[in-house]
């Protein structure tokens, strides 16, 4: 992956910082859910890398499922319209669910998903987000497991894309829109 791309500006969160944070989040979840076998639900596509790292940092028994939603299309601003493109395979009834998100921007996607998942009667539902844009949340989100608070810029890498590009970067970088 070439970081010398003209659209990639400065690195905001390094690979090292990400590794450290994953270990911390994994420890916190493991101790909170020791005898509960949580179900981690990843929000595609952005959370696929975070989910892959996170589950390997959680030594306790857990399961995964994925949901695909679209809130942005190809644009870089939230439309507020959330569309479920792929629904879950598993039943949430009486499960201890952790919703795993790549980034909270306006919070509109998560607030929609939270309501949608609560209607399926899980035993509990918490949110784990790797990146949270400071002060941008239009919808108030209770996020129990928080990764990094970042400036309100458009970012790419570590699963996050700009028009499907740059998801494979090992770090989080600011994306320069020309
Ligand atoms: P929200 O509904 O505004 O919170 O946005 C949620 C979704 O938009 C995230 O799950 C990401 O997929 C995408 N998104 C938000 N901010 C960024 C960004 O800075 N870069 C890339 N994708 C983003
Ligand atoms: Mg996206």
């Amino acid at each position: 992956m070439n970081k010398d791309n003209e659209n990639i500006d400065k690195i905001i969160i390094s690979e090292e910082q990400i590794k450290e944070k994953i270990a911390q989040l994994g420890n916190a979840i493991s101790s909170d859910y020791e005898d509960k076998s949580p179900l981690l639900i990843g929000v595609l596509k952005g959370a696929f890398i975070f989910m892959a790292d996170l589950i390997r940092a959680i030594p306790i028994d857990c399961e995964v499922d994925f949901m695909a939603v679209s809130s942005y299309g190809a644009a870089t601003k939230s439309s507020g319209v959330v569309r479920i493109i792929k629904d879950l395979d598993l039943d949430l009834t009486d499960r201890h669910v952790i919703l795993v998100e790549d980034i909270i921007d306006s919070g509109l996607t998560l607030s929609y998903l939270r309501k949608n998942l609560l209607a399926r009667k899980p035993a509990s539902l918490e949110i784990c987000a790797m990146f949270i844009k400071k002060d941008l949340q239009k919808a108030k989100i209770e996020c129990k497991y928080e990764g990094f608070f970042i400036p309100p810029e458009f970012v790419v890498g570590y699963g996050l894309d700009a028009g499907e590009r740059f998801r494979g970067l090992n770090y989080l970088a600011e994306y320069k829109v020309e």
Side-chain angles (χ1 to χ4, degrees), residues 127-155:
I127 290 168
C128 175
M130 189 52 162
F131 307 109
I132 300 162
K133 287 191 193 169
K134 283 184 209 135
D135 305 328
L136 277 193
Q137 283 78 54
K138 293 191 180 103
K140 177 96 189 80
I141 301 292
E142 301 267 327
C143 181
K144 182 159 188 188
Y145 303 101
E146 296 171 330
F148 298 95
F149 287 86
I150 60 166
E153 309 295 342
F154 196 79
V155 291

PDB file of all heavy atoms in Angstrom, residues 127-155:
ATOM      1  N   ILE A 127     -21.827  -0.910  22.723  1.00  0.00           N
ATOM      2  CA  ILE A 127     -21.193  -0.480  21.484  1.00  0.00           C
ATOM      3  C   ILE A 127     -19.687  -0.347  21.682  1.00  0.00           C
ATOM      4  O   ILE A 127     -19.231   0.138  22.723  1.00  0.00           O
ATOM      5  CB  ILE A 127     -21.803   0.856  21.008  1.00  0.00           C
ATOM      6  CG1 ILE A 127     -23.246   0.596  20.529  1.00  0.00           C
ATOM      7  CG2 ILE A 127     -20.966   1.489  19.894  1.00  0.00           C
ATOM      8  CD1 ILE A 127     -24.058   1.832  20.311  1.00  0.00           C
ATOM      9  N   CYS A 128     -18.939  -0.817  20.697  1.00  0.00           N
ATOM     10  CA  CYS A 128     -17.489  -0.691  20.699  1.00  0.00           C
ATOM     11  C   CYS A 128     -17.094  -0.004  19.394  1.00  0.00           C
ATOM     12  O   CYS A 128     -17.369  -0.522  18.311  1.00  0.00           O
ATOM     13  CB  CYS A 128     -16.868  -2.086  20.779  1.00  0.00           C
ATOM     14  SG  CYS A 128     -15.078  -2.104  20.639  1.00  0.00           S
ATOM     15  N   ALA A 129     -16.508   1.187  19.486  1.00  0.00           N
ATOM     16  CA  ALA A 129     -16.136   1.921  18.269  1.00  0.00           C
ATOM     17  C   ALA A 129     -14.652   2.270  18.315  1.00  0.00           C
ATOM     18  O   ALA A 129     -14.148   2.734  19.330  1.00  0.00           O
ATOM     19  CB  ALA A 129     -16.969   3.191  18.138  1.00  0.00           C
ATOM     20  N   MET A 130     -13.961   2.033  17.221  1.00  0.00           N
ATOM     21  CA  MET A 130     -12.520   2.276  17.190  1.00  0.00           C
ATOM     22  C   MET A 130     -12.178   3.759  17.116  1.00  0.00           C
ATOM     23  O   MET A 130     -11.267   4.224  17.784  1.00  0.00           O
ATOM     24  CB  MET A 130     -11.914   1.530  15.997  1.00  0.00           C
ATOM     25  CG  MET A 130     -10.411   1.540  15.991  1.00  0.00           C
ATOM     26  SD  MET A 130      -9.697   0.970  17.554  1.00  0.00           S
ATOM     27  CE  MET A 130      -8.029   0.586  17.063  1.00  0.00           C
ATOM     28  N   PHE A 131     -12.904   4.501  16.282  1.00  0.00           N
ATOM     29  CA  PHE A 131     -12.617   5.936  16.134  1.00  0.00           C
ATOM     30  C   PHE A 131     -13.897   6.739  16.360  1.00  0.00           C
ATOM     31  O   PHE A 131     -14.964   6.353  15.886  1.00  0.00           O
ATOM     32  CB  PHE A 131     -12.063   6.243  14.739  1.00  0.00           C
ATOM     33  CG  PHE A 131     -10.882   5.401  14.366  1.00  0.00           C
ATOM     34  CD1 PHE A 131     -10.991   4.414  13.402  1.00  0.00           C
ATOM     35  CD2 PHE A 131      -9.652   5.587  14.995  1.00  0.00           C
ATOM     36  CE1 PHE A 131      -9.896   3.617  13.060  1.00  0.00           C
ATOM     37  CE2 PHE A 131      -8.552   4.802  14.665  1.00  0.00           C
ATOM     38  CZ  PHE A 131      -8.679   3.813  13.691  1.00  0.00           C
ATOM     39  N   ILE A 132     -13.773   7.826  17.079  1.00  0.00           N
ATOM     40  CA  ILE A 132     -14.929   8.674  17.364  1.00  0.00           C
ATOM     41  C   ILE A 132     -14.556  10.110  17.025  1.00  0.00           C
ATOM     42  O   ILE A 132     -13.555  10.631  17.537  1.00  0.00           O
ATOM     43  CB  ILE A 132     -15.329   8.567  18.847  1.00  0.00           C
ATOM     44  CG1 ILE A 132     -15.700   7.103  19.176  1.00  0.00           C
ATOM     45  CG2 ILE A 132     -16.496   9.502  19.164  1.00  0.00           C
ATOM     46  CD1 ILE A 132     -15.688   6.784  20.651  1.00  0.00           C
ATOM     47  N   LYS A 133     -15.298  10.714  16.122  1.00  0.00           N
ATOM     48  CA  LYS A 133     -14.999  12.105  15.769  1.00  0.00           C
ATOM     49  C   LYS A 133     -15.536  13.022  16.855  1.00  0.00           C
ATOM     50  O   LYS A 133     -16.705  12.940  17.219  1.00  0.00           O
ATOM     51  CB  LYS A 133     -15.604  12.454  14.417  1.00  0.00           C
ATOM     52  CG  LYS A 133     -14.857  11.806  13.279  1.00  0.00           C
ATOM     53  CD  LYS A 133     -15.271  12.354  11.953  1.00  0.00           C
ATOM     54  CE  LYS A 133     -14.752  11.466  10.839  1.00  0.00           C
ATOM     55  NZ  LYS A 133     -15.344  11.802   9.546  1.00  0.00           N
ATOM     56  N   LYS A 134     -14.666  13.867  17.352  1.00  0.00           N
ATOM     57  CA  LYS A 134     -15.016  14.756  18.453  1.00  0.00           C
ATOM     58  C   LYS A 134     -16.177  15.676  18.105  1.00  0.00           C
ATOM     59  O   LYS A 134     -16.150  16.336  17.079  1.00  0.00           O
ATOM     60  CB  LYS A 134     -13.813  15.618  18.824  1.00  0.00           C
ATOM     61  CG  LYS A 134     -12.775  14.888  19.625  1.00  0.00           C
ATOM     62  CD  LYS A 134     -11.666  15.864  20.024  1.00  0.00           C
ATOM     63  CE  LYS A 134     -10.360  15.122  20.175  1.00  0.00           C
ATOM     64  NZ  LYS A 134      -9.233  15.782  19.561  1.00  0.00           N
ATOM     65  N   ASP A 135     -17.154  15.714  18.983  1.00  0.00           N
ATOM     66  CA  ASP A 135     -18.225  16.722  18.934  1.00  0.00           C
ATOM     67  C   ASP A 135     -19.085  16.735  17.680  1.00  0.00           C
ATOM     68  O   ASP A 135     -19.765  17.707  17.417  1.00  0.00           O
ATOM     69  CB  ASP A 135     -17.652  18.139  19.113  1.00  0.00           C
ATOM     70  CG  ASP A 135     -16.836  18.245  20.378  1.00  0.00           C
ATOM     71  OD1 ASP A 135     -17.192  17.547  21.339  1.00  0.00           O
ATOM     72  OD2 ASP A 135     -15.871  19.013  20.399  1.00  0.00           O
ATOM     73  N   LEU A 136     -19.033  15.669  16.889  1.00  0.00           N
ATOM     74  CA  LEU A 136     -19.840  15.695  15.670  1.00  0.00           C
ATOM     75  C   LEU A 136     -21.170  14.976  15.817  1.00  0.00           C
ATOM     76  O   LEU A 136     -22.012  15.042  14.940  1.00  0.00           O
ATOM     77  CB  LEU A 136     -19.080  15.053  14.511  1.00  0.00           C
ATOM     78  CG  LEU A 136     -18.094  15.933  13.768  1.00  0.00           C
ATOM     79  CD1 LEU A 136     -17.670  15.259  12.484  1.00  0.00           C
ATOM     80  CD2 LEU A 136     -18.709  17.290  13.425  1.00  0.00           C
ATOM     81  N   GLN A 137     -21.340  14.288  16.943  1.00  0.00           N
ATOM     82  CA  GLN A 137     -22.513  13.431  17.068  1.00  0.00           C
ATOM     83  C   GLN A 137     -23.825  14.212  17.109  1.00  0.00           C
ATOM     84  O   GLN A 137     -24.076  14.995  18.013  1.00  0.00           O
ATOM     85  CB  GLN A 137     -22.416  12.543  18.320  1.00  0.00           C
ATOM     86  CG  GLN A 137     -21.470  11.375  18.139  1.00  0.00           C
ATOM     87  CD  GLN A 137     -20.027  11.804  18.259  1.00  0.00           C
ATOM     88  OE1 GLN A 137     -19.647  12.406  19.245  1.00  0.00           O
ATOM     89  NE2 GLN A 137     -19.231  11.522  17.260  1.00  0.00           N
ATOM     90  N   LYS A 138     -24.626  13.957  16.087  1.00  0.00           N
ATOM     91  CA  LYS A 138     -25.959  14.550  16.050  1.00  0.00           C
ATOM     92  C   LYS A 138     -26.883  13.733  16.931  1.00  0.00           C
ATOM     93  O   LYS A 138     -27.809  14.242  17.536  1.00  0.00           O
ATOM     94  CB  LYS A 138     -26.498  14.545  14.616  1.00  0.00           C
ATOM     95  CG  LYS A 138     -25.733  15.458  13.690  1.00  0.00           C
ATOM     96  CD  LYS A 138     -26.453  15.623  12.362  1.00  0.00           C
ATOM     97  CE  LYS A 138     -25.694  16.525  11.427  1.00  0.00           C
ATOM     98  NZ  LYS A 138     -24.984  15.774  10.376  1.00  0.00           N
ATOM     99  N   ALA A 139     -26.638  12.422  16.972  1.00  0.00           N
ATOM    100  CA  ALA A 139     -27.438  11.539  17.818  1.00  0.00           C
ATOM    101  C   ALA A 139     -26.565  11.152  19.002  1.00  0.00           C
ATOM    102  O   ALA A 139     -25.396  10.828  18.838  1.00  0.00           O
ATOM    103  CB  ALA A 139     -27.834  10.305  17.025  1.00  0.00           C
ATOM    104  N   LYS A 140     -27.109  11.218  20.209  1.00  0.00           N
ATOM    105  CA  LYS A 140     -26.333  10.870  21.407  1.00  0.00           C
ATOM    106  C   LYS A 140     -26.136   9.351  21.456  1.00  0.00           C
ATOM    107  O   LYS A 140     -27.089   8.588  21.452  1.00  0.00           O
ATOM    108  CB  LYS A 140     -27.093  11.358  22.645  1.00  0.00           C
ATOM    109  CG  LYS A 140     -26.448  10.997  23.952  1.00  0.00           C
ATOM    110  CD  LYS A 140     -25.590  12.155  24.484  1.00  0.00           C
ATOM    111  CE  LYS A 140     -24.759  11.720  25.691  1.00  0.00           C
ATOM    112  NZ  LYS A 140     -23.533  10.977  25.333  1.00  0.00           N
ATOM    113  N   ILE A 141     -24.865   8.943  21.478  1.00  0.00           N
ATOM    114  CA  ILE A 141     -24.556   7.519  21.451  1.00  0.00           C
ATOM    115  C   ILE A 141     -23.861   7.114  22.747  1.00  0.00           C
ATOM    116  O   ILE A 141     -22.882   7.732  23.138  1.00  0.00           O
ATOM    117  CB  ILE A 141     -23.586   7.201  20.278  1.00  0.00           C
ATOM    118  CG1 ILE A 141     -24.205   7.600  18.940  1.00  0.00           C
ATOM    119  CG2 ILE A 141     -23.200   5.738  20.271  1.00  0.00           C
ATOM    120  CD1 ILE A 141     -25.377   6.783  18.531  1.00  0.00           C
ATOM    121  N   GLU A 142     -24.388   6.062  23.396  1.00  0.00           N
ATOM    122  CA  GLU A 142     -23.722   5.510  24.565  1.00  0.00           C
ATOM    123  C   GLU A 142     -22.743   4.453  24.077  1.00  0.00           C
ATOM    124  O   GLU A 142     -23.158   3.368  23.702  1.00  0.00           O
ATOM    125  CB  GLU A 142     -24.745   4.852  25.497  1.00  0.00           C
ATOM    126  CG  GLU A 142     -25.831   5.778  26.000  1.00  0.00           C
ATOM    127  CD  GLU A 142     -25.469   6.410  27.347  1.00  0.00           C
ATOM    128  OE1 GLU A 142     -24.795   5.742  28.147  1.00  0.00           O
ATOM    129  OE2 GLU A 142     -25.878   7.562  27.573  1.00  0.00           O
ATOM    130  N   CYS A 143     -21.468   4.820  24.068  1.00  0.00           N
ATOM    131  CA  CYS A 143     -20.462   3.886  23.576  1.00  0.00           C
ATOM    132  C   CYS A 143     -19.603   3.434  24.751  1.00  0.00           C
ATOM    133  O   CYS A 143     -18.893   4.238  25.342  1.00  0.00           O
ATOM    134  CB  CYS A 143     -19.615   4.579  22.514  1.00  0.00           C
ATOM    135  SG  CYS A 143     -18.359   3.528  21.800  1.00  0.00           S
ATOM    136  N   LYS A 144     -19.688   2.143  25.101  1.00  0.00           N
ATOM    137  CA  LYS A 144     -18.977   1.657  26.286  1.00  0.00           C
ATOM    138  C   LYS A 144     -17.488   1.437  26.027  1.00  0.00           C
ATOM    139  O   LYS A 144     -16.655   1.713  26.885  1.00  0.00           O
ATOM    140  CB  LYS A 144     -19.611   0.349  26.763  1.00  0.00           C
ATOM    141  CG  LYS A 144     -18.973  -0.198  28.019  1.00  0.00           C
ATOM    142  CD  LYS A 144     -19.863  -1.156  28.744  1.00  0.00           C
ATOM    143  CE  LYS A 144     -19.279  -1.545  30.084  1.00  0.00           C
ATOM    144  NZ  LYS A 144     -20.045  -2.623  30.710  1.00  0.00           N
ATOM    145  N   TYR A 145     -17.155   0.934  24.846  1.00  0.00           N
ATOM    146  CA  TYR A 145     -15.755   0.659  24.527  1.00  0.00           C
ATOM    147  C   TYR A 145     -15.290   1.616  23.441  1.00  0.00           C
ATOM    148  O   TYR A 145     -15.645   1.469  22.276  1.00  0.00           O
ATOM    149  CB  TYR A 145     -15.611  -0.803  24.088  1.00  0.00           C
ATOM    150  CG  TYR A 145     -16.124  -1.759  25.145  1.00  0.00           C
ATOM    151  CD1 TYR A 145     -17.378  -2.349  25.021  1.00  0.00           C
ATOM    152  CD2 TYR A 145     -15.376  -2.020  26.288  1.00  0.00           C
ATOM    153  CE1 TYR A 145     -17.874  -3.192  26.008  1.00  0.00           C
ATOM    154  CE2 TYR A 145     -15.855  -2.856  27.282  1.00  0.00           C
ATOM    155  CZ  TYR A 145     -17.107  -3.440  27.134  1.00  0.00           C
ATOM    156  OH  TYR A 145     -17.595  -4.265  28.118  1.00  0.00           O
ATOM    157  N   GLU A 146     -14.503   2.608  23.864  1.00  0.00           N
ATOM    158  CA  GLU A 146     -14.093   3.661  22.950  1.00  0.00           C
ATOM    159  C   GLU A 146     -12.618   3.529  22.598  1.00  0.00           C
ATOM    160  O   GLU A 146     -11.779   3.386  23.482  1.00  0.00           O
ATOM    161  CB  GLU A 146     -14.324   5.026  23.598  1.00  0.00           C
ATOM    162  CG  GLU A 146     -15.810   5.301  23.870  1.00  0.00           C
ATOM    163  CD  GLU A 146     -16.018   6.559  24.718  1.00  0.00           C
ATOM    164  OE1 GLU A 146     -15.141   6.886  25.549  1.00  0.00           O
ATOM    165  OE2 GLU A 146     -17.069   7.197  24.542  1.00  0.00           O
ATOM    166  N   GLY A 147     -12.320   3.583  21.297  1.00  0.00           N
ATOM    167  CA  GLY A 147     -10.932   3.537  20.851  1.00  0.00           C
ATOM    168  C   GLY A 147     -10.310   4.910  20.953  1.00  0.00           C
ATOM    169  O   GLY A 147      -9.931   5.354  22.033  1.00  0.00           O
ATOM    170  N   PHE A 148     -10.245   5.614  19.837  1.00  0.00           N
ATOM    171  CA  PHE A 148      -9.604   6.931  19.790  1.00  0.00           C
ATOM    172  C   PHE A 148     -10.592   8.048  19.464  1.00  0.00           C
ATOM    173  O   PHE A 148     -11.437   7.889  18.596  1.00  0.00           O
ATOM    174  CB  PHE A 148      -8.541   6.954  18.692  1.00  0.00           C
ATOM    175  CG  PHE A 148      -7.430   5.979  18.906  1.00  0.00           C
ATOM    176  CD1 PHE A 148      -7.470   4.725  18.305  1.00  0.00           C
ATOM    177  CD2 PHE A 148      -6.336   6.309  19.698  1.00  0.00           C
ATOM    178  CE1 PHE A 148      -6.433   3.821  18.497  1.00  0.00           C
ATOM    179  CE2 PHE A 148      -5.300   5.415  19.888  1.00  0.00           C
ATOM    180  CZ  PHE A 148      -5.355   4.165  19.293  1.00  0.00           C
ATOM    181  N   PHE A 149     -10.414   9.176  20.131  1.00  0.00           N
ATOM    182  CA  PHE A 149     -11.142  10.385  19.734  1.00  0.00           C
ATOM    183  C   PHE A 149     -10.269  11.116  18.719  1.00  0.00           C
ATOM    184  O   PHE A 149      -9.093  11.351  18.975  1.00  0.00           O
ATOM    185  CB  PHE A 149     -11.443  11.259  20.949  1.00  0.00           C
ATOM    186  CG  PHE A 149     -12.523  10.672  21.791  1.00  0.00           C
ATOM    187  CD1 PHE A 149     -12.231   9.728  22.776  1.00  0.00           C
ATOM    188  CD2 PHE A 149     -13.851  11.005  21.565  1.00  0.00           C
ATOM    189  CE1 PHE A 149     -13.238   9.141  23.521  1.00  0.00           C
ATOM    190  CE2 PHE A 149     -14.872  10.437  22.307  1.00  0.00           C
ATOM    191  CZ  PHE A 149     -14.562   9.497  23.289  1.00  0.00           C
ATOM    192  N   ILE A 150     -10.843  11.426  17.562  1.00  0.00           N
ATOM    193  CA  ILE A 150     -10.049  12.032  16.483  1.00  0.00           C
ATOM    194  C   ILE A 150     -10.694  13.349  16.040  1.00  0.00           C
ATOM    195  O   ILE A 150     -11.871  13.583  16.288  1.00  0.00           O
ATOM    196  CB  ILE A 150      -9.918  11.064  15.273  1.00  0.00           C
ATOM    197  CG1 ILE A 150     -11.309  10.716  14.701  1.00  0.00           C
ATOM    198  CG2 ILE A 150      -9.174   9.795  15.666  1.00  0.00           C
ATOM    199  CD1 ILE A 150     -11.254  10.068  13.332  1.00  0.00           C
ATOM    200  N   PRO A 151      -9.914  14.188  15.361  1.00  0.00           N
ATOM    201  CA  PRO A 151     -10.474  15.456  14.878  1.00  0.00           C
ATOM    202  C   PRO A 151     -11.568  15.207  13.828  1.00  0.00           C
ATOM    203  O   PRO A 151     -11.586  14.146  13.199  1.00  0.00           O
ATOM    204  CB  PRO A 151      -9.276  16.160  14.227  1.00  0.00           C
ATOM    205  CG  PRO A 151      -8.074  15.407  14.641  1.00  0.00           C
ATOM    206  CD  PRO A 151      -8.490  14.044  15.034  1.00  0.00           C
ATOM    207  N   PRO A 152     -12.441  16.175  13.625  1.00  0.00           N
ATOM    208  CA  PRO A 152     -13.566  15.979  12.710  1.00  0.00           C
ATOM    209  C   PRO A 152     -13.201  16.094  11.237  1.00  0.00           C
ATOM    210  O   PRO A 152     -13.811  16.857  10.498  1.00  0.00           O
ATOM    211  CB  PRO A 152     -14.547  17.085  13.133  1.00  0.00           C
ATOM    212  CG  PRO A 152     -13.683  18.144  13.685  1.00  0.00           C
ATOM    213  CD  PRO A 152     -12.500  17.478  14.301  1.00  0.00           C
ATOM    214  N   GLU A 153     -12.182  15.337  10.822  1.00  0.00           N
ATOM    215  CA  GLU A 153     -11.757  15.336   9.420  1.00  0.00           C
ATOM    216  C   GLU A 153     -12.170  14.027   8.783  1.00  0.00           C
ATOM    217  O   GLU A 153     -12.418  13.055   9.481  1.00  0.00           O
ATOM    218  CB  GLU A 153     -10.221  15.441   9.343  1.00  0.00           C
ATOM    219  CG  GLU A 153      -9.607  16.558  10.136  1.00  0.00           C
ATOM    220  CD  GLU A 153     -10.005  17.930   9.623  1.00  0.00           C
ATOM    221  OE1 GLU A 153     -10.463  18.001   8.460  1.00  0.00           O
ATOM    222  OE2 GLU A 153      -9.878  18.907  10.376  1.00  0.00           O
ATOM    223  N   PHE A 154     -12.187  13.990   7.450  1.00  0.00           N
ATOM    224  CA  PHE A 154     -12.442  12.729   6.777  1.00  0.00           C
ATOM    225  C   PHE A 154     -11.168  11.899   6.801  1.00  0.00           C
ATOM    226  O   PHE A 154     -10.094  12.387   6.442  1.00  0.00           O
ATOM    227  CB  PHE A 154     -12.924  12.946   5.339  1.00  0.00           C
ATOM    228  CG  PHE A 154     -13.543  11.703   4.763  1.00  0.00           C
ATOM    229  CD1 PHE A 154     -14.849  11.355   5.093  1.00  0.00           C
ATOM    230  CD2 PHE A 154     -12.813  10.864   3.939  1.00  0.00           C
ATOM    231  CE1 PHE A 154     -15.417  10.179   4.599  1.00  0.00           C
ATOM    232  CE2 PHE A 154     -13.381   9.687   3.444  1.00  0.00           C
ATOM    233  CZ  PHE A 154     -14.677   9.353   3.772  1.00  0.00           C
ATOM    234  N   VAL A 155     -11.270  10.660   7.274  1.00  0.00           N
ATOM    235  CA  VAL A 155     -10.086   9.820   7.450  1.00  0.00           C
ATOM    236  C   VAL A 155     -10.214   8.512   6.668  1.00  0.00           C
ATOM    237  O   VAL A 155     -11.323   8.070   6.358  1.00  0.00           O
ATOM    238  CB  VAL A 155      -9.852   9.504   8.939  1.00  0.00           C
ATOM    239  CG1 VAL A 155      -9.420  10.746   9.699  1.00  0.00           C
ATOM    240  CG2 VAL A 155     -11.103   8.899   9.580  1.00  0.00           C
TER     241      VAL A 155
END
